[in-house]
Amino acid sequence: MPLENEDRPSDSPYIHRVWRSHASGVARMTSVATSNWEIVFWRWEGGLHAAVRGPETTVTSVDVGDGAESWGITFAHGSSMPHLPPARLVDSALESPHATATTFLLRGDEWPVPDFDSAEQFVARLVREGVLVRDPLVDEVVAGGSPEVGTRSVQRRVAAATGLTQGSIRQIERARQAAILLTEGRTPLEVVDLLGYYDQPHLARSLQRFIGRTATELRRPEPAEPLSLLYKIEDTAGP
């Protein structure tokens, strides 16, 4: 496979997912939209790089170095770094100005580079030192909860913690779920019904905007250009 991806959940309320990837024989990748921000590390031609990547509200095509290894921590909705306002990170990335094989700079301080298995310890230290904070209401709202606060207050807090509106988050997450269901063999009509799209043209527009694929292309076993990581959190389609 051109991209070998592995991901796992976490018991940290600050973390949405931990992942790693290895590229082989691929020059470009389709980076699908995502409503979460992340800290990413990649090793290429003997050098290590680190960056904070914000939510992506549309699909992009990115270069991939043959043999490159990458890994990262995708943060839960509601987790944010006060020194980097989420709105500043949307559709952008900030690379660390200096990184070695074992350390990188974040908020002007040197930090050890975590690996796939030590993400939780790294995040716990970020929290202890005030680099990372969390508004639990935001994760609750995005997951479908109904907190006992006013609508405007919820909207402000979601925007402050994510840089996105609730509507944008819902659209992105639904498109990602649709893409997963289609790759698993569900028909477009089934996906429309399961996820509440108006009709197949509505689904098609959403896929084109957020995934960069048609339903037919997603159902092919070997796409011409691989997609960035998609992972299924819960079985929306049932057993």
Side-chain angles (χ1 to χ4, degrees):
M1 294 180 64
L3 280 180
E4 297 177 10
N5 296 321
E6 181 181 1
D7 67 279
R8 65 173 177 82
S10 172
D11 58 6
S12 168
Y14 293 85
I15 299 174
H16 177 63
R17 214 75 177 169
V18 182
W19 60 271
R20 59 185 171 189
S21 179
H22 180 265
S24 176
V26 59
R28 295 189 68 78
M29 173 187 74
T30 299
S31 181
V32 303
T34 176
S35 61
N36 301 84
W37 67 277
E38 57 188 3
I39 295 180
V40 182
F41 306 91
W42 66 99
R43 188 174 287 111
W44 169 240
E45 294 185 337
L48 185 133
H49 307 268
V52 177
R53 292 182 57 190
E56 297 179 68
T57 61
T58 189
V59 65
T60 57
S61 185
V62 298
D63 294 328
V64 179
D66 188 20
E69 297 180 356
S70 58
W71 64 99
I73 302 168
T74 303
F75 289 87
H77 296 113
S79 299
S80 61
M81 294 188 292
H83 74 286
L84 287 178
R88 178 185 172 192
L89 295 173
V90 175
D91 292 324
S92 66
L94 295 175
E95 187 168 348
S96 173
H98 178 71
T100 70
T102 58
T103 64
F104 74 107
L105 289 181
L106 179 66
R107 203 187 62 171
D109 298 319
E110 193 172 76
W111 296 80
V113 174
D115 59 24
F116 187 75
D117 298 312
S118 64
E120 284 76 14
Q121 293 89 338
F122 170 72
V123 168
R125 183 182 168 192
L126 291 179
V127 174
R128 286 196 306 270
E129 301 197 20
V131 178
L132 184 68
V133 299
R134 176 174 177 262
D135 184 347
L137 175 141
V138 176
D139 208 12
E140 177 187 354
V141 168
V142 172
S146 301
E148 296 179 358
V149 297
T151 301
R152 289 186 179 180
S153 178
V154 169
Q155 292 172 343
R156 285 194 299 269
R157 289 169 68 171
V158 169
T162 67
L164 302 173
T165 65
Q166 289 176 258
S168 294
I169 294 172
R170 283 195 297 268
Q171 290 176 36
I172 292 169
E173 293 305 313
R174 181 166 61 171
R176 291 172 63 92
Q177 186 63 35
I180 292 169
L181 292 174
L182 288 163
T183 59
E184 291 177 342
R186 296 284 186 171
T187 68
L189 278 175
E190 288 176 315
V191 173
V192 166
D193 182 59
L194 287 166
L195 300 183
Y197 285 99
Y198 296 126
D199 50 27
Q200 288 194 69
H202 184 205
L203 169 63
R205 290 192 299 272
S206 177
L207 291 174
Q208 189 62 42
R209 176 181 177 185
F210 299 119
I211 308 298
R213 294 285 193 280
T214 65
T216 300
E217 288 169 337
L218 285 166
R219 300 179 76 195
R220 291 173 183 163
E222 295 183 3
E225 186 173 288
L227 296 173
S228 60
L229 186 64
L230 286 168
Y231 34 77
K232 193 170 186 179
I233 303 302
E234 60 183 76
D235 193 352
T236 303

